């Protein structure tokens, strides 16, 4: 139970979790926007407001909750640089430096994880083999045999934790300047930025000149964009 709880707690989307704790703007496909400090959980996101709504006759709203099944409504998650405080700017600069110039250990970690992602099915076979050997133990084996269903669940969670988001096309462009296309209101718009991360559902781009509407000025921002509305098109 503790093992599963730990695994599930670590299974937040990597792109979204990079914005955890930052002041961001959630841009929805219907053009509505939510401003707040992001809190990312496995079941969704919460945006905590700076200014609490206190209009007469209206409930005070302290935050906005977006559930995982509502991710389909996301246009972009935006972190404008000019809205970051001193500590947040330092943290972001450190992240950008690691993206541009990853050290040996960071490169080794990513390559190792990608190897596990590409051999996910073989990993499950390996876990089955290990479990079968452990079951031969006179003490632990008896416990495992009486909880086969739970052991199988742990194995599936472990392989799910490894993930299946490895993309050799995108992997080559991590930390490099790319051009990506985003569909906004049925119009395809090109943007440039540094590809920081990708998952099955999202891509994370840093140093993008972006504006939410045509009336807004272009400002530098970091974006997390669903892959269903954006695609990396050029290096």
């Amino acid at each position: 139970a503790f093992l599963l709880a730990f695994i599930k707690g670590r299974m937040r989307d990597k792109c979204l979790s990079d914005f955890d704790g930052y002041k961001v703007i959630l841009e929805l496909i219907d053009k509505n926007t939510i401003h707040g400090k992001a809190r990312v959980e496995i079941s969704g996101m919460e945006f905590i407001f700076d200014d609490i709504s206190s209009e007469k006759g209206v409930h005070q709203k302290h935050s906005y909750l977006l559930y995982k099944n509502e991710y389909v409504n996301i246009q972009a998650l935006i972190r404008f640089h000019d809205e970051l405080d001193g500590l947040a700017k330092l943290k972001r600069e450190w992240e950008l430096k690691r993206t541009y110039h990853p050290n040996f250990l960071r490169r080794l970690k990513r390559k190792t994880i990608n190897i596990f992602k590409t051999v996910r099915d073989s990993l499950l076979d390996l876990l089955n083999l290990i479990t079968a050997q452990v079951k031969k133990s006179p003490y632990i084996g008896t416990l495992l045999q009486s909880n086969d269903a739970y052991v199988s669940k742990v194995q599936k969670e472990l392989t799910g934790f490894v993930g299946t988001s490895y993309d050799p096309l995108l992997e080559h462009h991590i930390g490099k300047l790319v051009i990506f296309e985003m569909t906004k209101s049925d119009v395809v718009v090109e943007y440039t930025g540094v590809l920081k991360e990708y998952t099955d559902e999202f891509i994370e781009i840093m140093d993008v000149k972006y504006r939410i509407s045509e009336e807004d000025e272009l400002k530098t921002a970091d974006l997390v964009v669903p892959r269903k509305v954006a695609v990396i098109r050029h290096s």
Side-chain angles (χ1 to χ4, degrees):
F2 279 115
L3 179 60
L4 283 178
F6 173 78
I7 293 171
K8 288 182 177 180
R10 302 279 294 179
M11 286 179 68
R12 301 180 302 172
D13 185 278
K14 182 64 173 65
C15 293
L16 295 180
S17 63
D18 280 351
F19 277 26
D20 186 46
Y22 285 97
K23 290 182 180 180
V24 300
I25 298 175
L26 170 65
E27 181 185 4
L28 300 172
I29 289 178
D30 62 8
K31 299 184 180 180
N32 284 330
T33 57
I34 308 296
H35 299 241
K37 187 175 183 179
R39 184 171 71 87
V40 182
E41 301 292 350
I42 186 174
S43 57
M45 301 182 67
E46 181 176 14
F47 300 87
I48 303 168
F49 303 149
D50 284 336
D51 298 320
I52 300 172
S53 173
S54 58
E55 298 177 19
K56 187 176 180 180
V58 178
H59 294 296
Q60 287 189 342
K61 298 176 181 179
H62 294 254
S63 66
Y64 178 89
L65 274 66
L66 183 75
Y67 297 93
K68 193 171 184 178
N69 64 304
E70 297 176 311
Y71 284 177
V72 294
N73 300 321
I74 296 177
Q75 176 70 53
L77 198 62
I78 310 156
R79 182 175 64 190
F80 282 116
H81 294 184
D82 62 356
E83 296 182 6
L84 299 177
D85 58 29
L87 185 60
K89 285 182 179 179
L90 288 175
K91 182 180 177 183
R92 185 203 160 273
E93 288 298 324
W94 178 69
E95 291 177 354
L96 184 61
K97 183 179 179 180
R98 292 202 308 165
T99 300
Y100 269 124
H101 307 291
N103 58 33
F104 172 76
L105 290 179
R106 184 175 173 84
R107 293 196 302 270
L108 179 62
K109 177 184 175 182
R110 188 172 188 93
K111 287 181 179 179
T112 303
I113 292 175
N114 286 337
I115 289 173
F116 279 111
K117 287 177 180 179
T118 57
V119 295
R120 182 174 179 271
D121 293 336
S122 298
L123 178 61
L124 183 57
D125 292 337
L126 177 61
L127 289 173
N128 288 331
L129 178 62
I130 293 173
T131 303
Q133 293 298 318
V134 173
K135 283 182 178 179
K136 295 179 181 180
S137 168
Y139 304 107
I140 301 178
T142 303
L143 178 62
L144 292 181
Q145 288 175 0
S146 61
N147 292 275
D148 278 339
Y150 207 69
V151 171
S152 298
K153 185 177 180 180
V154 172
Q155 291 174 334
K156 290 179 180 179
E157 292 286 357
L158 281 170
T159 54
F161 178 62
V162 171
T164 58
S165 60
Y166 174 67
D167 187 331
L169 272 178
L170 295 184
E171 194 67 29
H172 179 68
H173 296 287
I174 292 290
K176 298 180 181 179
L177 194 64
V178 297
I179 301 172
F180 66 100
E181 297 173 348
M182 183 195 298
T183 303
K184 297 188 68 174
S185 302
D186 297 324
V187 177
V188 178
V189 185
E190 282 191 346
Y191 300 93
T192 63
V194 179
L195 177 61
K196 182 179 187 294
E197 188 57 88
Y198 65 87
T199 61
D200 285 336
E201 295 185 68
F202 296 95
I203 55 175
E204 181 180 357
I205 313 287
M206 304 184 80
D207 284 346
V208 181
K209 294 295 184 182
Y210 189 78
R211 59 185 170 194
I212 297 175
S213 65
E214 291 298 324
E215 294 75 24
D216 299 329
E217 64 173 315
L218 280 172
K219 297 194 297 183
T220 306
D222 304 322
L223 303 182
V224 171
V225 189
R227 296 180 72 166
K228 68 182 184 66
V229 301
V231 59
I232 304 296
R233 185 59 69 192
H234 307 280
S235 60

